[in-house]
Amino acid sequence: FACGKLGSAMAHPAGVASLEATGYDHCQSGPREVPSSALCDGCEEEIMAEVQEAMLRWLAENKRLEDYRLVEREIQRLELSSATLTERTLSTQEIPLERHMEQKLTFPQIRCRFSMRSATSPIDQSVDLHSFHLLLTVQIRGEAEVALVDFTGHRSSDLGRDEAMHCVDHELVRRLQQMLLPSLPSPVLLLDLLLSLPRRTSP
């Protein structure tokens, strides 16, 4: 793994929208956990269509790639076979404090799992700390599930604290690139493609 500390959560696309979306209130009564449940029944086809559109959009933004036509054909072969979305919320008097969203995307050769946690905790009476955690794991057919990207961001409501840290398994990124998109000139581009895939954060 290669790990690093980013000076701002704004430096990582996975943290930006989700941190901004976690402006939850808080109160002092005891927490209540809502069991995991599938979200958006019947929307599997919608998620799959959004993922395919995102991959085509990524292609359109990278038309200057060497061997573009080869990359295009390889991406077209990455047909998504299934998609699921679940949510678990830890709340206080119906006010969400922590939300855990999990989205699984299954391709013919691999399964990607985006696990996203967003939470709010008070720093003092007037300032809250919003936190976001993204764990992207990959399971290659016939192998165990392993972490590919681990990102954590924190931002206070007064912007006095704004930081992020990340870890990436670059060896696994290289292996996936050779397996899925061998025509890409750099494994980093595969990582960019995976992180550009849409991740729903609400029903």
Side-chain angles (χ1 to χ4, degrees), residues 131-143:
S131 301
F132 176 74
H133 179 231
L134 167 68
L135 178 64
L136 169 56
T137 61
V138 173
Q139 184 174 16
I140 298 172
R141 183 180 294 274
E143 300 184 15

Side-chain angles (χ1 to χ4, degrees), residues 26-45:
H26 63 275
C27 55
Q28 299 301 318
S29 59
R32 180 177 65 86
E33 184 172 352
V34 178
S36 298
S37 61
L39 294 179
C40 193
D41 291 338
C43 71
E44 178 180 0
E45 292 183 0

Side-chain angles (χ1 to χ4, degrees), residues 12 16 22 27 31 37-38 85 89 103 109 145 161 171 196:
H12 193 287
V16 177
T22 56
C27 55
S37 61
L85 182 68
T89 301
Q103 180 171 292
Q109 292 176 285
E145 184 179 28
R161 180 179 176 184
E171 279 298 323
S196 73

Side-chain angles (χ1 to χ4, degrees), residues 21-144:
T22 56
Y24 300 136
D25 295 327
H26 63 275
C27 55
Q28 299 301 318
S29 59
R32 180 177 65 86
E33 184 172 352
V34 178
S36 298
S37 61
L39 294 179
C40 193
D41 291 338
C43 71
E44 178 180 0
E45 292 183 0
E46 295 179 16
I47 297 176
M48 293 172 66
E50 290 172 1
V51 171
Q52 295 294 337
E53 290 173 6
M55 290 194 293
L56 293 176
R57 187 164 53 249
W58 185 91
L59 265 176
E61 295 170 353
N62 290 274
K63 282 190 173 181
R64 295 186 178 183
L65 285 174
E66 294 182 23
D67 298 324
Y68 172 81
R69 292 303 176 188
L70 291 176
V71 174
E72 182 180 31
R73 286 197 290 269
E74 291 168 357
I75 287 182
Q76 289 172 348
R77 288 197 292 266
L78 289 177
E79 295 185 2
L80 190 60
S81 56
S82 69
T84 60
L85 182 68
T86 58
E87 176 187 31
R88 184 173 69 251
T89 301
L90 185 67
S91 63
T92 303
Q93 292 185 352
E94 306 304 327
I95 301 175
L97 283 178
E98 179 179 282
R99 171 181 283 183
H100 179 202
M101 306 284 292
E102 185 172 280
Q103 180 171 292
K104 295 180 181 179
L105 305 176
T106 304
F107 297 89
Q109 292 176 285
I110 66 169
R111 184 185 70 182
C112 298
R113 180 167 63 92
F114 295 88
S115 177
M116 298 157 284
R117 292 181 183 270
S118 56
T120 295
S121 57
I123 296 178
D124 56 36
Q125 292 184 348
S126 61
V127 180
D128 288 338
L129 180 66
H130 308 303
S131 301
F132 176 74
H133 179 231
L134 167 68
L135 178 64
L136 169 56
T137 61
V138 173
Q139 184 174 16
I140 298 172
R141 183 180 294 274
E143 300 184 15

